[in-house]
Amino acid sequence: MQATAIAQPNIALIKYWGKRDLALNLPAVGSISITLDTLQTKVSIDLDGWLANDSLIVNGVEDPGRLSRMTACLDNVLGVKRPSALIETQSNFPIAAGLASSASAFAAATLAAVAAASIDLDTQSLARLAGRASGSAARSFFGGFAELENCQDAIKLSSLCDAESWPLKVVVAITETGPKGTSSTEAMEISRKTSPFYSAWIERQVDDLATARKAIEERDFTTLAAVAEHNCLKMHSVMWASRPPIVFWNAATMRCLQTVRRLQQDGCHVFFTIDAGPQVKAVCQEEDMAAVRDALSKTAGVLEIMTTGLGPAAHLVGKS
Ligand code: DP6
């Protein structure tokens, strides 16, 4: 009744922002993402039931603050009559800082829980269960480029291109290490209820998804870059126009954007994307990675740089 799984975070190029069903955590829009390689979260779940209640250990430290969300995830996956669980998670990158740590944690937790309970589920069902805990977690069940379709009553995941077929690189510029103030879940609801741009955001998503899907199919970096930057800035505009405003950026975030623009003017194949946090992810072609890394590391306010390629789907690493 024990299992361990690893999942990589994924970064959306066409973003999920907004829910159409809060209780079922169904997204209001489809999304397209890339699953990363070297960043990862390992989750071990022990269902031997020797604990009176669930216990969560995050990076070696007991974490009661995050326990209720993990308990809800396991209840949804295994049912409420399950034995209590000891859950241990280990991430090799900053968590809750806009680096998609909830995506990798809930994808790995879902997979480990199902394996620990010896339940046999296909990828689509696993993705739906993980997506209930955190929308973006569903996408970590495919490596490379994945699309999450927003169907009538459920989500549907498909692979657009595997990691080896278009081996782009991602340079992550960390501009702040503390956890963020507002969670994505909370911020999305504020946007849905108050942003005057929210309905336009939802309406236009279909076009951005189609453009990105075709660009990925044709390995057309320039078109993908333009639509991904546009979609990212549009999502942040929705947030900025919310009341209260939701601004995840800091001064260094903006400086990183300027660095990316300068690199583009110098002929580098690179584009930026930013999620619910101040970190900047620069997606680039392999031959430009050294220049992108160098320029971002010299940008004022950048505290740390991480580089990664595109990686695999969530996978099991142990079971007993
Ligand atoms: C900006 O998946 O963290 O990263 O479903 O409420 O857990 P919940 O939200 P979450 O939101 C991700 C938001 C985003 C865009 C994206 O990853 O698509």
Side-chain angles (χ1 to χ4, degrees):
M1 299 280 278
Q2 295 167 13
T4 302
I6 287 182
Q8 269 72 5
N10 66 77
I11 303 291
L13 303 184
I14 303 299
K15 313 279 187 193
Y16 145 50
W17 194 254
K19 298 172 196 286
R20 97 185 125 88
D21 187 319
L22 189 59
L24 296 176
N25 202 37
L26 290 174
V29 287
S31 52
I32 290 179
S33 61
I34 43 177
T35 300
L36 305 182
D37 186 7
T38 46
L39 279 61
Q40 62 176 45
T41 303
K42 187 175 180 180
V43 178
S44 298
I45 296 200
D46 182 337
L47 288 176
D48 281 339
W50 46 273
L51 290 172
N53 297 299
D54 289 347
S55 171
L56 175 66
I57 296 173
V58 175
N59 292 338
V61 181
E62 192 154 9
D63 191 340
R66 289 196 172 86
L67 180 63
S68 61
R69 203 166 165 200
M70 187 55 85
T71 288
C73 169
L74 297 189
D75 285 350
N76 183 49
V77 172
L78 304 174
V80 287
K81 294 205 176 116
R82 65 181 172 84
S84 8
L86 172 63
I87 310 120
E88 289 182 76
T89 84
Q90 197 80 42
S91 293
N92 65 353
F93 60 98
I95 58 172
L99 286 176
S101 57
S102 63
S104 51
F106 287 115
T110 301
L111 191 56
V114 162
S118 299
I119 302 169
D120 197 22
L121 286 180
D122 62 11
T123 307
Q124 220 56 252
S125 311
L126 286 163
R128 284 188 186 134
L129 289 170
R132 182 94 183 254
S134 186
S136 52
R139 298 185 308 236
S140 284
F141 280 92
F142 274 114
F145 294 77
E147 176 167 6
L148 193 152
E149 277 178 70
N150 183 25
C151 303
Q152 199 59 36
D153 52 359
I155 55 167
K156 192 173 146 236
L157 200 69
S158 50
S159 170
L160 296 179
C161 168
D162 60 37
E164 295 74 32
S165 301
W166 200 12
L168 296 182
K169 300 287 175 192
V170 183
V171 179
V172 183
I174 308 283
T175 64
E176 230 171 270
T177 48
K180 61 190 180 197
T182 316
S183 71
S184 306
T185 311
E186 239 179 292
M188 280 185 207
E189 278 303 282
I190 297 172
S191 292
R192 183 179 67 79
K193 289 181 187 148
T194 68
S195 179
F197 302 156
Y198 185 76
S199 55
W201 157 256
I202 304 288
E203 273 161 33
R204 303 289 173 86
Q205 188 78 343
V206 184
D207 298 340
D208 290 0
L209 286 166
T211 305
R213 202 181 296 124
K214 186 159 177 284
I216 292 164
E217 198 181 297
E218 294 172 356
R219 316 284 191 267
D220 175 352
F221 189 90
T222 309
T223 303
L224 184 62
V227 72
E229 288 190 354
H230 168 67
N231 190 266
C232 163
L233 293 176
K234 203 160 51 175
M235 178 186 76
H236 285 278
S237 304
V238 171
M239 293 188 212
W240 284 32
S242 299
R243 303 188 88 166
I246 303 153
V247 180
F248 285 111
W249 301 14
N250 60 31
T253 312
M254 194 64 216
R255 280 195 291 267
C256 289
L257 261 51
Q258 288 166 337
T259 299
V260 171
R261 280 284 174 269
R262 211 182 51 244
L263 285 161
Q264 289 169 334
Q265 279 153 14
D266 293 347
C268 274
H269 286 91
V270 59
F271 65 88
F272 62 78
T273 190
I274 306 158
D275 291 298
Q279 332 299 3
V280 176
K281 292 107 184 183
V283 182
C284 61
Q285 296 198 160
E286 194 159 13
E287 60 270 26
D288 291 315
M289 192 177 87
V292 172
R293 193 191 156 94
D294 187 52
L296 281 171
S297 64
K298 287 183 185 139
T299 300
V302 171
L303 306 173
E304 196 188 329
I305 292 278
M306 293 189 287
T307 49
T308 170
L310 305 195
H315 52 284
L316 211 55
V317 289
K319 181 171 154 45
S320 55

